[in-house]
Structure formats: structure tokens, C-alpha cells
Amino acid sequence: MEQLVLDLTNPQARENALLELSKKRESFPELAPYLWHSFGTVSALLQEIVAIYPLLSPPSLTAHASNRVCNALALLQCVASHPETRSLFLQAYIPMFLYPFLNTISKTRPFEYLRLTSLGVIGALVKVDDTDVIAFLLSTEIIPLCLRTMEMGSELSKTVATFIVQKILLDNVGLNYICATAERFFAVSAVLNAMVAALPEQPSTRLLKHIIRCYLRLSDNTRAREALRQCLPALLRDPGFTVCLKDDLQTRQWLAQLLVNVGLQHGDPAFSHIMEATGIQA
């Protein structure tokens, strides 16, 4: 493994090293510090990323080029995940190099794979509850980039992007940021509403779970809660729509609490069904 890391700085050996390290990274727990502290290694990974920028617009990314840069991104995800290198990763502003990939609109497989792998790096950062990570991301354009993916990505990309927004909202700094202005709140709620509206045609229980958690967290803010009374999708009150959650007690409880928070009344047809299913009391 050490030789493969060294090979990353050799242009002739780099492609094979990227492939082998990305496949074997789980078996090398200290790969992240080794990558970060090895001379020239992170620069080599960034070279791989920057090299395909010209292929983004007009879209001309091939499957081979996409796979190669995604292997480099997989190694950066290791660095983003490791407690020893996470803060160094942020201090070097490495996530900014990924944002051009999230700003693409092509739905072809090479672009979708690139978006998904880039989101995986950001997802690795937010998995650990760290206000410094959230503050860093909010100082960048991560929210609009995630919202774009939530609008036009594949189901999996939408799910990861929604998870990132969820983790940002779960931090008080993130919730306050998004609810600080009506423009930010309605930008997020409009995309969440559109995703709910699309779910009957393209069902995804996993995606619905993250959407509900985002709404519930928004309802913790007083002004956002008042707005949600008016703009929460009617489908979330429809037992026929939410029946897909019958085996997911946690998400059913989140939904019930959300509906209570936005003022679901005993006279509402959905009230008794949801309350009985979850045990939540108004």
C-alpha cells in the first residue's frame, strides 16, 4: 500500500495506483494520514480533479475519465473521514475543488457518477457532528449546489444531497443560517416540496425519510414552523402516501411530530391514523 501511495506522484503509474488504492482503502485504516503527509500526494490527487474541468462544459466527459477521477475522489473521501486529517482537509479548502462537479447538469452516467462521488466526500465531512465543518460549508455555496442536485440528480444523488442538507439543518448554526431569511427558507422548502410531489411517480422510502427529517428540523424554528403551516405538502398528511413508512417506526415518529408541530388537528382525517401508528401525542 505504501508503494501505491508513492506511485500517485508518478504520472505513468498513477492511474493503476488510483484504482488499486480506491479498491483496497478499507483494509488500510491509516491511509488518510499517509496520503496527507506523503510528499506531493494530495497535489497529485488535485491534478486529477483539475485535469477534467475542461470536459465539464461543453459536456464531453467519458466513462474512463469519470472513473479515474472518481478513484481520486474516493481517496479524498478517506482524508475527509479521518479525524486526524478532516480539519486539515478543510483548512486547505479542498472541498472547493469538487464544486464544479456539483454544478453540472448533464444526466449521463459519467457525470452522475462524478456528482455522486463528490457528494460522498461532502457527506463524509458532515457525518460527524462538527459545527466547524458546518460553518465552513455554509461559507461556501454548498446549499445551492445540493439543492440543484436534489432537483435534477438520480435517486441516489438526491438522497445523498438531501442527507447533507439534513445534517446542516441539524446543527444550530445551519438551522439559523437557512431560516435567517425568507429567501433561504423558501429555496429549501420549494425543493423539498417538489421532491415530495415527484415521489408518487418515483417512490423512494429512503429519500422520503431524509425529506421528512429536514421538514421536522425546520419546524424547530418558530418562523419556519409558521411558514410550514401553509406550505407543507398535503401528501405528507395522506396515509395512502405515507403507508410506505409502515415498517420504519423512527420516520413515522418524525412525521407525526412534524404534523403536530405544524398544527395538525384532531379533526384532520390523517390525525388518528398517524397518532395510532406512532404513539405520538399532540
Side-chain angles (χ1 to χ4, degrees):
M1 293 291 279
E2 289 85 350
Q3 183 58 51
L4 288 172
V5 172
L6 294 176
D7 285 346
L8 291 173
T9 56
N10 179 350
Q12 285 70 45
R14 184 180 299 162
E15 183 170 5
N16 179 67
L18 287 169
L19 177 61
E20 292 302 316
L21 282 170
S22 65
K23 289 195 298 187
K24 300 174 181 177
R25 63 188 187 277
E26 300 296 335
S27 62
F28 191 6
E30 294 307 303
L31 177 59
Y34 204 89
L35 287 169
W36 188 263
H37 297 294
S38 297
F39 179 78
T41 300
V42 174
S43 295
L45 296 177
L46 294 179
Q47 285 174 9
E48 288 294 309
I49 289 171
V50 174
I52 69 162
Y53 285 172
L55 305 179
L56 302 181
S57 182
S60 53
L61 185 65
T62 64
H64 177 264
S66 177
N67 288 339
R68 176 166 171 160
V69 76
C70 285
N71 287 335
L73 291 171
L75 298 184
L76 288 180
Q77 183 171 335
C78 287
V79 178
S81 302
H82 198 283
E84 182 181 326
T85 53
R86 185 184 301 112
S87 62
L88 298 171
F89 186 82
L90 292 178
Q91 290 168 26
Y93 284 79
I94 303 295
M96 304 296 285
F97 288 89
L98 280 55
Y99 287 5
F101 303 153
L102 301 180
N103 206 29
T104 57
I105 58 174
S106 173
K107 295 187 177 183
T108 62
R109 183 168 293 182
F111 279 90
E112 179 57 32
Y113 185 31
L114 187 59
R115 265 192 301 273
L116 181 59
T117 311
S118 300
L119 288 167
V121 179
I122 307 301
L125 285 171
V126 300
K127 274 185 179 178
V128 178
D129 297 329
D130 186 336
T131 296
D132 289 341
V133 170
I134 302 303
F136 170 86
L137 292 175
L138 290 175
S139 72
T140 71
E141 55 184 322
I142 191 61
I143 295 294
L145 289 173
C146 282
L147 294 180
R148 170 175 288 201
T149 301
M150 289 158 67
E151 287 181 304
M152 52 75 62
S154 68
E155 178 197 340
L156 193 50
S157 286
K158 287 180 178 181
T159 302
V160 179
T162 308
F163 168 76
I164 293 169
V165 171
Q166 171 188 317
K167 293 295 286 186
I168 290 172
L169 282 168
L170 287 173
D171 188 279
N172 287 336
V173 169
L175 179 65
N176 292 337
Y177 176 88
I178 288 175
C179 296
T181 68
E183 181 181 14
R184 290 176 191 165
F185 167 79
F186 284 111
V188 173
S189 66
V191 172
L192 292 173
N193 291 3
M195 294 170 74
V196 171
L199 283 174
E201 292 185 6
Q202 297 177 311
S204 171
T205 302
R206 176 173 53 181
L207 182 54
L208 178 60
K209 175 178 183 175
H210 292 302
I211 292 170
I212 289 171
R213 189 65 186 94
C214 286
Y215 277 127
L216 176 59
R217 179 55 173 161
L218 285 170
S219 74
D220 288 338
N221 179 275
T222 303
R223 290 195 300 170
R225 185 186 312 133
E226 291 304 313
L228 286 173
R229 293 182 194 275
Q230 306 301 320
C231 67
L232 192 71
L235 277 173
L236 294 181
R237 301 171 183 260
D238 180 356
F241 174 72
T242 58
V243 69
C244 62
L245 301 173
K246 65 182 187 317
D247 297 323
D248 187 342
L249 178 60
Q250 177 69 81
T251 305
R252 295 204 322 270
Q253 289 177 332
W254 288 343
L255 175 59
Q257 190 61 60
L258 167 64
L259 296 179
V260 168
N261 288 357
V262 300
L264 189 70
Q265 301 298 318
H266 284 274
D268 192 302
F271 187 89
S272 59
H273 174 85
I274 293 173
M275 295 304 128
E276 288 173 6
T278 61
I280 297 291
Q281 299 298 317

